[in-house]
């Protein structure tokens, strides 16, 4: 995909004020100085107006929100975004148009801007067949290899504070002419990509996250599988730190008002394939998100559908908007901007600012898809950073047209009153704060058995020390451990292997009297039998549990 940006002149935009003045001042120097001063004042007053209504959207968030640019950054970029990606200016074809002659001017400007304002800088891109220098294709293989290695090493040395780097861009769609110089397909089928990452790992700062970037992979199961296979090759060699999914609008659907060649990929399909990639355990970055709609209403409607698919996924650690201000966007998709050139915001930007303030839906932990669950199950989910409470619903119908339980609590653990035996139930959670409520999580299900586990009556402290058998058991990879103490005191709950070596400390500190539930995640352990031990005062008890992968 050829990505071309247009440069807009600051002076031509703001000098219009000077046309309102009558040039009757005899001293031309005085007039010129007065004119320049007024123009500068007008320019900065415009920036102040933008800054008065805007702040970094991802401030205090666990994920970043960034923007791309290829122009001088004079439009209060840092008031909106905390990460920056150069558009064309970081590509090899832009920097080294003549072999051995590097033009770093624009890239220096963007990098230094990011550095001075403490913004995260991502280099885009080291290896990409779409925009490589024209002279590379005519070189022999050895010279190509030397040239690409020189390019990577020179850039990496010049920008030591880059936080992220797109090492290979679009390997499925834009293979470089120097593919064979990097090893071609080789034994893995992707040796050229692997060797490109090896060069990046060799020369890039140790703090830079190495990313593989691609588009049109989430709408098709097979394409997602191919991408996962390539990522796995890199991950097995310790070469990849992040997964880049571009997130252009055309990857989701055609324009709302399109009359031919229309297509729509469902959010459910995108979510499903995104979750498959997330299961790899590698951070995901949406590197080039945009919604190209001329109509404000259409753009807003599509933002509400597709942006949450990525923002609410816990594996997604950042989203970069591919052109955010008018006249600094991809010219093939001119209506992706969120801010007009005069600083006014489109409705999608106004919605985005409010949406980001809502808590992110939590991750449901247990029970999920399990059978023979106790009739009074303990529901558990991860906390959402900005949430102050959680709305929990349980239903015996997938549509939640009716609910058996609908309650709001401040904890992330809830024991449900006894449910019907041998019945499938569904549950979901929404996170709540003073700005509103998140969407509900995707539902999870469980099927009850016949048993009810004895618990203390509500509001009544336990009358004895007790350590219960974990549930589920065997487990993979998470399980719940429940214990009770009759009085407040110091508690230690630890996990050991069969030869007595300590594996994990699940809790160590003061606990109030009552029943408590602790989650254990054995994701980093191998299958086997382990022991968990509770110590509370003079009470010591241990039980075995089985991790089965």
């Amino acid at each position: 995909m050829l990505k071309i940006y247009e440069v807009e002149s600051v002076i031509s935009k703001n000098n219009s004020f000077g046309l309102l003045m009558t040039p009757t001042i005899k001293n031309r120097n005085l007039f010129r100085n007065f004119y320049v001063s007024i123009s500068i004042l007008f320019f900065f007053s415009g920036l102040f107006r933008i800054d008065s209504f805007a702040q970094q959207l991802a401030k205090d968030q666990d994920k970043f929100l960034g923007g791309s640019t290829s122009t001088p950054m004079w439009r209060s970029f840092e008031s909106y975004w905390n990460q920056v990606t150069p558009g064309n200016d970081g590509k090899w074809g832009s920097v080294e148009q003549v072999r051995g002659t590097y033009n770093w001017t624009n890239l220096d400007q963007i990098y230094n801007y990011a550095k001075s304002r403490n913004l995260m800088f991502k280099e885009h891109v080291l290896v990409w067949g779409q925009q490589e220098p024209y002279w590379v294709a005519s070189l022999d293989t050895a010279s190509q290899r030397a040239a690409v290695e020189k390019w990577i090493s020179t850039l990496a040395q010049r920008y030591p504070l880059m936080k992220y780097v797109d090492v290979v861009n679009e390997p499925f769609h834009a293979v470089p002419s120097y593919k064979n110089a990097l090893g071609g397909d080789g034994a893995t089928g992707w040796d050229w990509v692997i060797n490109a990452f090896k060069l990046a790992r060799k020369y890039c700062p140790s703090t830079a996250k190495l990313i593989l970037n691609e588009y049109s992979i989430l709408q098709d199961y097979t394409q997602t599988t191919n991408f996962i296979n390539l990522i796995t090759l890199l991950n097995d060699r310790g070469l990849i730190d992040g997964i880049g999914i571009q997130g252009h609008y055309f990857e989701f659907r055609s324009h709302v008002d399109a009359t031919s060649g229309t297509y729509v990929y469902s959010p459910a399909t995108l979510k499903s394939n995104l979750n498959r990639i997330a299961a790899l355990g590698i951070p995901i970055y949406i590197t080039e998100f945009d919604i190209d709609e001329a109509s404000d209403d259409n753009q807003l409607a599509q933002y509400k559908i597709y942006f949450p698919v990525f923002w609410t996924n816990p594996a997604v650690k950042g989203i970069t908007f591919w052109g955010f201000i008018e006249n600094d966007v991809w010219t093939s998709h001119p209506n992706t901007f969120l801010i007009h050139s005069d600083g006014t915001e489109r409705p999608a930007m106004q919605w985005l600012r409010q949406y980001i303030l809502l808590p992110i839906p939590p991750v449901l932990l247990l029970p999920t898809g399990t059978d023979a669950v106790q009739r009074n199950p303990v529901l558990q989910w991860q906390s959402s950073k900005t949430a102050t409470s959680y709305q929990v619903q349980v239903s015996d119908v997938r549509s939640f047209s009716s609910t058996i339980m609908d309650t709001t609590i401040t904890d992330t653990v809830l024991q449900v009153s006894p449910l019907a035996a041998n019945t499938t139930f569904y549950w979901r959670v929404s996170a709540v704060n003073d700005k509103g409520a998140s969407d509900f999580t995707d539902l999870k299900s469980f099927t009850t058995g016949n048993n009810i586990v004895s618990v203390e009556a509500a509001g009544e402290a336990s009358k004895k020390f007790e350590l219960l058998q974990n549930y589920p058991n065997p487990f993979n990879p998470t399980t719940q451990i429940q214990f009770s103490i009759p009085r407040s005191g110091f508690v230690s709950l630890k996990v050991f292997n069969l030869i007595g070596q300590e594996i994990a400390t699940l809790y160590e500190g003061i606990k109030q009297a009552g029943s408590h539930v602790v989650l254990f995640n054995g994701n980093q352990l191998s299958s086997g039998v382990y022991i968990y031990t509770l110590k509370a005062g003079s009470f010591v008890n241990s039980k075995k549990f089985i991790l089965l992968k």
Side-chain angles (χ1 to χ4, degrees), residues 52-114:
S52 297
F53 298 99
Q55 66 175 17
Q56 285 187 352
L57 274 70
K59 183 180 180 181
D60 300 326
Q61 297 281 352
D62 292 331
K63 310 169 187 259
F64 68 73
L65 283 178
S68 68
T69 185
S70 282
T71 67
M73 297 192 182
W74 51 271
R75 293 148 308 183
S76 295
F77 183 100
E78 76 277 12
S79 295
Y80 288 94
W81 320 116
N82 57 352
Q83 182 268 339
V84 59
T85 300
N88 274 340
D89 299 317
K91 297 167 184 172
W92 191 12
S94 298
V95 174
E96 195 181 2
Q97 294 183 11
V98 177
R99 188 179 184 187
T101 300
Y102 299 93
N103 181 1
W104 302 107
T105 302
N106 290 342
L107 193 56
D108 277 354
Q109 183 177 29
I110 296 171
Y111 175 82
N112 290 330
Y113 180 92

Side-chain angles (χ1 to χ4, degrees), residues 10 14 36-52 73-76 78 117:
V10 177
N14 296 290
V36 170
S37 298
I38 291 295
S39 297
I40 293 174
L41 177 63
F42 181 84
F43 165 62
F44 281 105
S45 68
L47 291 186
F48 177 78
R49 179 176 60 81
I50 295 173
D51 287 344
S52 297
M73 297 192 182
W74 51 271
R75 293 148 308 183
S76 295
E78 76 277 12
R117 287 160 174 80

